[in-house]
Amino acid sequence: MKIKKLAIVLMLPILLTGCWDNVDLADINIVTAMGIDKAEDGKVIVTVQVVEPAALQSSSSGQARGGSAQPKPVFVESYEGETISDALISMKSIVDKRLFLSTIQVLILGERFCKDGINEALDFLHRDYQSEYLTDVLVAKDVTPEQILKIQSDMEAIPAMYIKGTIENTAIRAKVKRTTLIELFKDIKNKCRQVTIGQITKVNEKTVKTEGSAVFKDGKLVGWLDQYQTRGYLFATDKVKSTIVNIPVTNGKMSIEVSNSSGKLDVEFKNGEPAKLSIQVNLEGNIVEYIGKETLDSPGNIYKLEKILSQEVKKEIVMTLNKAQKDYSSDIFGFGTVVHKYHPHYWEKVMDEWNDVFSRLPADIKVEAKIRRAGLIKSPMMKDE
Amino acid sequence: MKYIDNQPNPKNRKKMEENNPPKLKSEEQVDLTLDKEVGKNLEKFKAFLKDSSDVVIREFSLGTQSIPCALVYVDGLVNIAVINEQILKPMMYQIALLETSLNQPIQPDKIFEVVKLHALTVGEVKEVKTLDDAFLRVLSGEVAVIIDGFDKILIANARGWPQRGIQEPPSETVIRGPREGFTETLRVNTALLRRKIKDPNLVIKTVQVGRRGKTDVAYAYIKGVASQELVEEVERRLNQIDVDIFLDSSQIEQYIQDNYLTYFPQIEVTERPDKTVASLAEGRVAILMDNSPFALIVPATFYQFFQSAEDYYERWILASIIRLLRWSGAILASLTPALYVAIVSFHPGFIPTNLVISIAATRATVPFPAFVEALLMEITFELLREAGARLPRAIGQTIGIVGGLIVGDAAVRAGITSPIMVIVVAITAIASFIIPSYSAAMAIRLLRFPFIVLAATFGIYGVMLGFIILNVHLVTLKSFGVSYMTPQAPIRYQDWKDFLIRLPSQIMMRRPTSTYPVDIDRRNQDPVKEETQ
């Protein structure tokens, strides 16, 4: 009797819903990259880059099978649909297995798709349980996502991995805004800051370049930032981990590696109205290369260099701020966050036209730069006198 | 414990009675009480033993009056030299010398006492008054001396049979520590215990178990350390056993364990005297059986199966790291294949994309789902292991080479299984052998089969479910009144000093509380010494 009861209790969990989608790894198409674009008639074009593991293995182990042509390690397919999910499901008519989306490494948005607004259009990716929130998002400039995904890199067998690698290098370049899917969702819902997404361009059939960023306003693509403007933006928003800044010196050039940087945004209020934007950046750097004549042995010399470095960084930030205020009228920095936090009542009133208010405000930008180390040699490479 | 009463059906019973005529049993042929005449007593012995060729019955006369006497012993169980020199010689020859030198024959009614006190130069001499007792003694290797005119028998201990010497225990080897192991002889084993504890409080009691085997089963404990209730419980359970023969202590284990419906061992088994003594000092009871080199230790908790004797001989930091390694080995051995199946067939999103791609690449040519693949390889491994374990050592190696290298490699090449599955099976196999106790390792290793089935049906959810059910089962188990999962459930932090890790010996001054010892402190364990102070 006891055993019977126990058996019944043990059987009960079977009624609960477990993981119903038992799909063997061999029966799915592993999608490593996805592109979303819009056709001229307003339909959504979804492009997927799918890995062929077997081909990948044979190409990596170098076993050519029967002398036949080497199978491609990836294939790229596109399909049109009313919505993203519609396109994905309809795509089943041309692919052989179920599309598995959790492995997506990069998501590439088309220019036209972005211009029409991404806010509502990305609903599927937020709603679907398969989405990988750490997917990197990029906007393709001048090309369609499909063209990007069809490149064949010599560096990596899988183009998505190659693109992902170029974005990961951002940690030591700071010239592209890295946006993951979850950050994008957060920014879309956040009224205090406008969306910026990294930019990708095609160099040739084998190479892409991830540099610069796309600027959005109210979910719509309004323009671009080049690599230096992007770095200015990243300096101001405290996202630079390391980068190389070139500064002009007397009779030469110098490269300084920024090893540590912090940025702080503030909005000064006067009489209940915002009066001034302020950006404070503190950074530390080391001299990595110096092509010049002067020796670097006195504190005065170093101090002079620090001045130049500060000005150089400040120039980039000013350029970016001008672009955001004058050209795009979009608060990509997130000054709105400061206002929302410290002046919530004012924010309630101005929330909807904050971008206009932001564009009108004067700015005070302070950059404090320090040079800590000069490498193994003090003086430039030259003959001892 | 309740056993199913398996009555033979009436038809068979009738046939059994027809085939076996009455009065076949010796008990039914003769009167079992001892007689005063040697001849009649011998008749009784012969009624039982006449067909056994190894029983020796030697009739002789005692002293100058030629009192008829007889010796009964089993050849092979006795030391012939002792019988010749210490029993026969004094009785047949030296008593006569004594009588002639005294010039006076010994009175026949005193002869029994004289033989006992003056003639038998043997250490252990007893009197028995029943035939049953005499049989038990003779068949355990002692010598019955029957003297005319007395309805009692003298029993002299002249035991001596071929026995295995003390060797290194093959199932529990250590690199550092004592190398001796128990043997099949109970006396040797108890001697090994005595040599390690010279405390008079070490009690070694013996009971006979088995109606026909009448095997000596000894249980040892330290009075004043082991809980009295525990000792009584051991005694009660041992006395409750009612079977005909016992071959090994593992059969005793089966009769005295708490739950026979689980495959987790609830009694610790060891071949090592040092481990046994350490357990005694913790307040446990050890059960030793004649004819078995394995001692049983009760109560046992789950964590004991992860302790090796060497943990205490090695430096504590190293021992702790190795012990943690064993715990992770247990988890690996039971869950790795299940997690692999679950991830491959339900949750490829769990693992990094690069790994997904490489797993998919190796599985691309495999025609079976991961579940079938895992089952196939795991069963193959168990086949190889079992085949290797029972074969002579020389052939066992061949099995290892054929199984491990040829089958493993060929299976991958033939596309029956993926290389990653081979790695998973290999990791499982290695991890399962890290657990020192063979029976616990076996239980933990076989757990992976139900886990693989659960993983294949419900994914990670199934594995978690199985893990929960397993834990619920484990906490319900008890071993001689002690919860199986102590000190984890119920939590006893005092005992955690010797649980997942082993702290320095200086810190472990108290005995584990889980055994409810009479005296918790190890330092005043010697009451004799305390009284003298």
Side-chain angles (χ1 to χ4, degrees), chain A residues 75-364:
Chain A
F75 66 82
V76 178
E77 290 295 345
S78 299
Y79 214 84
E80 271 185 33
E82 291 298 326
T83 58
I84 298 175
S85 59
D86 180 42
L88 272 175
I89 288 166
S90 309
M91 202 183 286
K92 286 190 172 180
S93 60
I94 54 166
V95 297
D96 57 343
K97 295 171 201 157
R98 214 187 78 160
L99 293 170
F100 185 69
L101 302 180
S102 297
T103 45
I104 293 183
Q105 299 292 302
V106 280
L107 173 69
I108 295 173
L109 305 176
E111 222 175 316
R112 188 181 286 134
F113 179 75
C114 292
K115 275 182 179 149
D116 283 0
I118 56 169
N119 281 7
E120 296 80 14
L122 291 180
D123 178 272
F124 169 74
L125 292 176
H126 204 359
R127 202 176 288 277
D128 188 52
Y129 69 96
Q130 282 192 42
S131 287
E132 166 62 44
Y133 280 170
L134 294 179
T135 304
D136 276 299
V137 186
L138 292 167
V139 178
K141 192 185 178 191
D142 301 331
V143 282
T144 62
E146 194 179 346
Q147 284 169 313
I148 298 265
L149 293 183
K150 275 194 171 153
I151 63 150
Q152 280 181 355
S153 170
D154 289 342
M155 287 171 249
E156 273 271 4
I158 305 165
M161 293 294 173
Y162 162 62
I163 297 171
K164 178 109 176 163
T166 61
I167 310 166
E168 270 162 7
N169 280 339
T170 190
I172 51 165
R173 275 176 79 236
K175 282 187 179 169
V176 62
K177 162 85 189 313
R178 188 176 187 183
T179 314
T180 56
L181 199 55
I182 185 75
E183 282 168 1
L184 179 61
F185 292 148
K186 273 196 248 168
D187 279 356
I188 286 176
K189 291 191 172 174
N190 188 355
K191 278 196 166 180
C192 313
R193 182 166 54 222
Q194 295 302 320
V195 175
T196 42
I197 302 178
Q199 166 196 326
I200 185 166
T201 47
K202 191 169 162 182
V203 179
N204 55 39
E205 283 309 313
K206 285 182 174 173
T207 324
V208 291
K209 191 161 79 175
T210 49
E211 214 170 60
S213 354
V215 179
F216 286 70
K217 187 183 178 185
D218 298 329
K220 290 187 173 111
L221 179 68
V222 286
W224 308 91
L225 296 178
D226 69 12
Q227 49 170 317
Y228 298 107
Q229 293 158 351
T230 303
R231 184 161 67 186
Y233 164 75
L234 294 175
F235 267 124
T237 49
D238 191 16
K239 278 181 182 140
V240 174
K241 289 198 185 85
S242 119
T243 184
I244 304 275
V245 182
N246 301 321
I247 56 172
V249 287
T250 350
N251 302 330
K253 291 178 247 175
M254 182 182 271
S255 287
I256 291 183
E257 180 197 28
V258 175
S259 56
N260 205 344
S261 157
S262 70
K264 198 175 178 299
L265 304 174
D266 201 5
V267 182
E268 281 172 32
F269 270 64
K270 223 175 241 175
N271 309 326
E273 293 279 321
K276 213 196 298 170
L277 304 172
S278 101
I279 298 174
Q280 169 79 41
V281 176
N282 294 317
L283 57 95
E284 282 179 19
N286 308 323
I287 299 168
V288 288
E289 195 172 349
Y290 175 38
I291 303 164
K293 293 271 188 289
E294 274 172 55
T295 50
L296 303 171
D297 48 6
S298 77
N301 283 352
I302 298 293
Y303 180 72
K304 233 161 52 189
L305 289 174
E306 285 174 351
K307 273 277 208 200
I308 305 172
L309 177 62
S310 306
Q311 275 164 9
E312 208 53 34
V313 171
K314 187 175 172 180
K315 227 195 284 175
E316 283 177 7
I317 299 174
V318 169
M319 197 159 63
T320 318
L321 190 66
N322 276 341
K323 200 124 189 164
Q325 285 185 319
K326 305 281 153 9
D327 296 2
Y328 305 139
S329 172
S330 168
D331 179 16
I332 53 173
F333 294 92
F335 284 104
T337 322
V338 182
V339 180
H340 184 195
K341 231 187 251 174
Y342 298 108
H343 306 277
H345 296 296
Y346 176 75
W347 177 252
E348 287 287 315
K349 276 189 289 176
V350 83
M351 199 160 57
D352 290 329
E353 57 261 17
W354 168 248
N355 281 326
D356 301 333
V357 178
F358 159 77
S359 307
R360 288 196 300 271
L361 289 173
D364 174 23

Side-chain angles (χ1 to χ4, degrees), chain A residues 3 10 13-14 16-26 28 30-32 51 53-54 56-57 65 100 102-105 132 158 161, chain B residues 261 343-349 351 353-354 356-357 359-366 368-371 456-461 465 469:
Chain A
I3 290 175
L10 290 185
I14 294 173
L16 302 173
T17 48
C19 310
W20 49 271
D21 55 339
N22 175 7
V23 186
D24 198 276
L25 212 56
I28 54 174
I30 299 166
V31 182
T32 48
V51 176
L56 195 67
Q57 190 190 29
R65 287 186 183 176
F100 185 69
S102 297
T103 45
I104 293 183
Q105 299 292 302
E132 166 62 44
I158 305 165
M161 293 294 173
Chain B
L261 288 176
I343 284 173
V344 162
S345 43
F346 286 96
H347 327 275
I351 41 178
T353 305
N354 281 328
V356 173
I357 292 168
I359 292 179
T362 59
R363 298 216 62 241
T365 51
V366 179
F368 305 115
F371 168 62
T457 31
F458 302 116
I460 293 274
Y461 167 75
L465 202 71
I469 292 174

Side-chain angles (χ1 to χ4, degrees), chain B residues 26-42:
Chain B
S26 305
E27 290 96 313
E28 292 157 8
Q29 293 169 5
V30 286
D31 183 20
L32 288 178
T33 51
L34 284 175
D35 205 276
K36 290 207 173 191
E37 261 180 63
V38 167
K40 284 192 178 172
N41 277 343
L42 278 183

